[in-house]
DNA sequence: GCCAACGTTGGC
DNA sequence: GCCAACGTTGGC
């Protein structure tokens, strides 16, 4: 089992939105970055654990947990000309963009703020805490994941 | 809302 | 294949 961190702007799609989705599950749509796409398509598997991160809007930080319920499959919104995530270079026979299904697990009792995470020495190598880091789908090591779960208690 | 840091595009 | 111009992300 592997660990990941998914970023989202809560005014676009929040952890509450995931919780309120049918079966508390949603397709993680709209990723249009190749590095993140490679992770979604090739590396993220059913049963992997996801740290749910709220960006841009205070409080910025990790707000809870989700789980992957279906591994990477094509993002069909890229095929729809009227959709905001339409991309003409992605074809159904050779899709460019992928997503996974994620299901709400739980909120943390408190938000683990970016400030707090950056100040934690055990998380100094974490992708999220690096300067200029803006990858929206990030790998998280087991030790980083365990540190974060401990902090959340 | 600003803007630094990235990522992508396209002319050459 | 370089790199300037442009577009996007996301902390502040």
């Amino acid at each position: 089992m592997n660990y990941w961190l998914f970023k989202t702007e809560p005014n676009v799609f929040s952890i509450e939105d995931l919780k309120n989705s049918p079966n508390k599950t949603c397709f993680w749509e709209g990723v249009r970055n190749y590095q993140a796409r490679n992770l979604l398509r090739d590396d993220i598997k059913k049963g992997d654990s996801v740290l749910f991160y709220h960006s841009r809007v205070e409080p910025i930080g990790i707000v809870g947990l989700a789980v992957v319920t279906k591994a990477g499959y094509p993002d069909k919104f890229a095929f729809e000309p009227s959709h905001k995530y339409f991309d003409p270079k992605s074809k159904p026979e050779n899709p460019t963009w992928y997503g996974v299904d994620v299901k709400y697990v739980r909120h943390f009792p408190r938000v683990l703020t970016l400030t707090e995470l950056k100040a934690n020495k055990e998380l100094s190598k974490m992708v999220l805490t690096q300067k200029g880091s803006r990858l929206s789908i990030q790998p998280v090591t087991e030790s980083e994941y365990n540190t974060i779960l401990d902090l959340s208690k």
Side-chain angles (χ1 to χ4, degrees):
Chain A
M1 145 136 141
N2 287 304
Y3 308 95
W4 310 96
L5 181 144
F6 285 18
K7 279 186 197 171
T8 175
E9 294 189 34
N11 48 357
V12 177
F13 187 79
S14 71
I15 193 167
E16 288 295 331
D17 294 328
L18 181 62
K19 187 181 181 182
N20 293 330
S21 297
N23 201 27
K24 298 183 180 180
T25 301
C26 217
F27 177 66
W28 202 263
E29 68 185 58
V31 172
R32 296 291 178 268
N33 167 281
Y34 287 100
Q35 205 177 337
R37 185 283 309 270
N38 291 345
L39 296 174
L40 289 167
R41 186 187 60 188
D42 304 331
D43 298 323
I44 301 179
K45 302 302 180 193
K46 183 177 178 178
D48 285 357
S49 190
V50 173
L51 300 169
F52 203 103
Y53 179 86
H54 281 174
S55 67
R56 275 186 64 89
V57 179
E58 294 289 345
I60 293 170
I62 301 171
V63 293
L65 286 179
V67 64
V68 177
T69 54
K70 186 176 178 183
Y73 62 104
D75 184 340
K76 65 179 185 302
F77 297 113
F79 309 142
E80 296 175 15
S82 62
H83 201 277
K84 66 172 174 171
Y85 292 131
F86 176 63
D87 183 346
K89 64 180 178 296
S90 186
K91 303 293 181 191
E93 63 275 16
N94 185 21
T96 306
W97 304 116
Y98 284 72
V100 298
D101 284 350
V102 292
K103 182 172 186 175
Y104 172 85
V105 174
R106 63 183 173 91
H107 278 72
F108 284 157
R110 64 189 187 85
V111 177
L112 305 184
T113 65
L114 180 62
T115 308
E116 175 183 1
L117 299 174
K118 279 185 167 172
N120 190 305
K121 288 193 174 63
E122 293 179 57
L123 301 177
S124 62
K125 300 269 178 61
M126 195 179 177
V127 177
L128 183 73
T129 60
Q130 306 309 302
K131 187 169 192 266
S133 169
R134 46 179 236 185
L135 191 60
S136 65
I137 304 287
Q138 304 181 354
V140 175
T141 69
E142 186 171 11
S143 79
E144 288 163 353
Y145 183 83
N146 289 333
T147 298
I148 284 162
L149 282 202
D150 284 345
L151 282 174
S152 75
K153 288 170 186 164

